[in-house]
Amino acid sequence: MQAAQFAVFGHPIKHSLSPPIHQAFARQFGIALEYGTVDVAAEGFHDAVRRFFAGGAVGANVTLPHKAAAFALADERSLAATRAGTANVLTRLGDGRLAAHNTDGAGLLRDITERHRLDPRGRSALLLGAGGAARGVAWNLLDAGVATLTIVNRSPESADALAAAIAEPARAGARHWEDLAALGRYDLIVNATSAGVLGGGLQLPCSLAGPRSLCYDLSYGAAAAHFLAWARTADAGYACDGLGMLVETAADAFELWHGKRPATDPVYAQLRGPDA
Ligand code: NDP
């Protein structure tokens, strides 16, 4: 019998960690699967996805720049995907239709609370960025009980649009990037911008963080280095990158597809390496 087919779609995608993560999860249960990468530009995404699933594939992860397109082409959408307006998981349903889901927010919160053992309840939170990932995590931060959520984005209209979509003005609002130096200190600072991935860094005032602050960068590896260095300079109490979130979001996709919950700690430890 042919092994079930999965893949991650993106552009570029060569360095994706999703294939080894899913293979590691599958080994925990003795499941045989094929998990590949599909490098496709925006204009070819729709056809590539349809071809992939028409060939009998079971599920796909979706990353930059296709998350909004994945949401748009699906036949059914989970609440998390609908709130975000983006999807990072596509699943073929029994009747051949495609279901979209977004696991970013749940993965971030599980990494913060279960791996790093930090409690977001009652914290003041600053969300940097208002792109797909920021939209994927904003509602989960509020659901997890942060006291306030301040959204700041380089293009202010996207931050305004996210705050308007959340529609909880007593807890969530947008501020301008130029105001950052005047905003004071936050307990939780989440960097959901792609500045690090694009090879740049954010210019952030040190007044945002202090010994009680948790600084979390959704990116990982070299892409997170600039933000983590800023957090150290700002004397933040705790700073971490998004590698744990990546493993947690993959675990949610794995459970959707296989009905089994994989252990994430061994896979995280392996990716983190001996210096962790
Ligand atoms: P998008 O392209 O949808 O959004 C990018 C965001 O970054 C926008 O808000 C954009 O602002 C902002 N931005 C880009 N460059 C700069 C800059 N130089 N200065 C300030 N703001 C900037 O990307 P995503 O939201 O999908 O991804 C964001 C990051 O999160 C990526 O690094 C991605 O790898 C990471 N990620 C990690 C995950 C994990 O599991 N660990 C999961 C999902 C994402 P503007 O609107 O002005 O362009």
Side-chain angles (χ1 to χ4, degrees), residues 64 67 104 129-134 153-155 158 177 192-195 197-198 201-202 218-220 242-243 245-246 249:
L64 282 172
K67 288 183 175 184
D104 282 344
N153 192 50
R154 181 177 59 181
S155 316
S158 304
W177 200 275
T193 75
S194 53
V197 165
L198 298 175
L202 300 174
L218 262 53
S219 35
Y220 43 86
L243 186 64
M245 171 181 169
L246 179 77
T249 61

Side-chain angles (χ1 to χ4, degrees), residues 7-223:
V8 57
F9 286 68
H11 185 60
I13 197 64
K14 203 165 74 194
H15 300 295
S16 171
L17 293 173
S18 292
I21 291 174
H22 278 269
Q23 290 295 0
F25 288 161
R27 280 194 296 277
Q28 294 178 11
F29 302 102
I31 294 172
L33 57 81
E34 280 186 26
Y35 192 110
T37 57
V38 180
D39 191 338
V40 59
E43 55 277 15
F45 177 69
H46 189 281
D47 288 350
V49 167
R50 290 289 171 199
R51 259 197 317 277
F52 180 66
F53 283 105
V58 177
N61 285 120
V62 180
T63 186
L64 282 172
H66 303 311
K67 288 183 175 184
F71 176 79
L73 70 70
D75 304 294
E76 272 186 18
R77 298 164 180 110
S78 70
L79 174 64
T82 302
R83 294 198 298 194
T86 59
N88 64 347
V89 185
L90 289 172
T91 307
R92 188 174 47 120
L93 302 171
D95 58 6
R97 293 178 315 129
L98 291 182
H101 186 43
N102 190 314
T103 62
D104 282 344
L108 169 69
L109 263 301
R110 222 169 30 253
D111 190 43
I112 288 178
T113 58
E114 295 182 16
R115 177 162 296 106
H116 297 290
R117 304 217 171 276
L118 297 163
D119 186 352
R121 283 176 299 180
R123 304 244 192 174
S124 56
L126 174 64
L127 180 59
L128 298 168
R135 294 187 72 93
V137 305
W139 278 270
N140 295 73
L141 288 167
L142 289 161
D143 290 348
V146 298
T148 57
L149 182 68
T150 304
I151 304 157
V152 178
N153 192 50
R154 181 177 59 181
S155 316
E157 55 279 8
S158 304
D160 291 341
L162 177 52
I166 292 169
E168 255 194 84
R171 281 212 295 163
R175 299 294 296 267
H176 285 185
W177 200 275
E178 310 82 75
D179 299 339
L180 277 174
L183 293 183
R185 200 168 272 184
Y186 284 87
D187 299 324
L188 175 59
I189 302 172
V190 176
N191 180 17
T193 75
S194 53
V197 165
L198 298 175
L202 300 174
Q203 297 307 318
L204 298 172
C206 286
S207 54
L208 290 171
R212 272 173 46 86
S213 307
L214 158 64
C215 297
Y216 192 107
D217 196 331
L218 262 53
S219 35
Y220 43 86

